Amino acid sequence: MVKFYENAFSYDYQWPAVTLAYFLRYPNPYSTHVVSTDTLSSHLDPQTGLLHITRIHLKRGKLPASVARFIPKIKESYILEKSIVDQRNKKLSTETRNLDWDGVLSVVENQVYTGDCTGERTDVTTVVKFESKLGRKKEQSDDVTERRGWLGGWGTGSVQRSIELVGRSRMRDGLVRSRAGMKIVLEQLRERGFVGVVKEQRQGGWERWKKVWRGQELDEI
């Protein structure tokens, strides 16, 4: 069973600034669950002029109780991110996917950032695919055993739908916070420049962080 979530919005910033902010978005006050980010590879294709970047993020957090009851406790997970920067056409294409427990819930997010016709805004389209494969092999090989097993009376289909719906809900909330974090980075880029943003991120000294922790920022998004 597969579910999708789609979203579209715009930043009131030019495409080069949004693209730079994307690669500088961690850390920010809305991403305290992101522990680290490492670049695995980057190369510029001399024939197409496309810049390919692959990174990996380590994230930590608790699962919702409705999902945690079915699977072992997950305290951290690795997210693989692949990006293609097309500077000529002002287009940034990204794909992120979870590397851990993808049999329980596979989440693949694709985003496209493009500059609008005025050159003053950046449009973003997001498509997220959710797929739970929990219990699929059991269901195919021995349906009776599955019904008597650790899933009890839930049934494989019910468990899969529950997990996918929880994943979709969390992704929707996560996109709101991600957008808020990006806006903070964009504002800091405008006010402080690239060097200033990197310095403040390393020191964790933004006043905006304190406002977020007090719950004051999301009301302004």
Side-chain angles (χ1 to χ4, degrees), residues 7-11 15 18-19 22 82 84 86 89-95 109-115 122-127:
N7 181 267
F9 59 94
S10 299
Y11 291 108
W15 179 84
V18 175
T19 299
Y22 178 85
K82 295 183 178 181
I84 301 176
D86 184 353
N89 297 304
K90 291 183 171 55
K91 179 180 178 181
L92 167 65
S93 304
T94 71
E95 179 191 275
E109 175 189 270
N110 287 278
Q111 290 188 306
V112 179
Y113 297 71
T114 54
T122 301
D123 299 324
V124 185
T125 58
T126 302
V127 178

Side-chain angles (χ1 to χ4, degrees), residues 21-37 55 57-61 173-174 176-182 184-185 201 206 208-209 212-213 218:
Y22 178 85
F23 292 106
L24 293 176
R25 71 190 190 280
Y26 300 138
N28 72 68
Y30 294 96
S31 67
T32 55
H33 63 295
V34 180
V35 179
S36 64
T37 296
R55 303 194 298 177
H57 308 289
L58 175 60
K59 299 185 178 183
R60 289 179 180 166
D173 295 340
V176 173
R177 299 184 67 83
S178 176
R179 192 185 315 172
M182 280 280 287
I184 289 181
V185 177
Q201 284 182 325
W206 291 349
R208 298 288 293 275
W209 285 58
V212 171
W213 291 332
L218 276 177

Side-chain angles (χ1 to χ4, degrees), residues 54-70:
T54 302
R55 303 194 298 177
I56 191 167
H57 308 289
L58 175 60
K59 299 185 178 183
R60 289 179 180 166
K62 295 181 179 179
L63 288 171
S66 57
V67 175
R69 65 184 298 176
F70 299 118

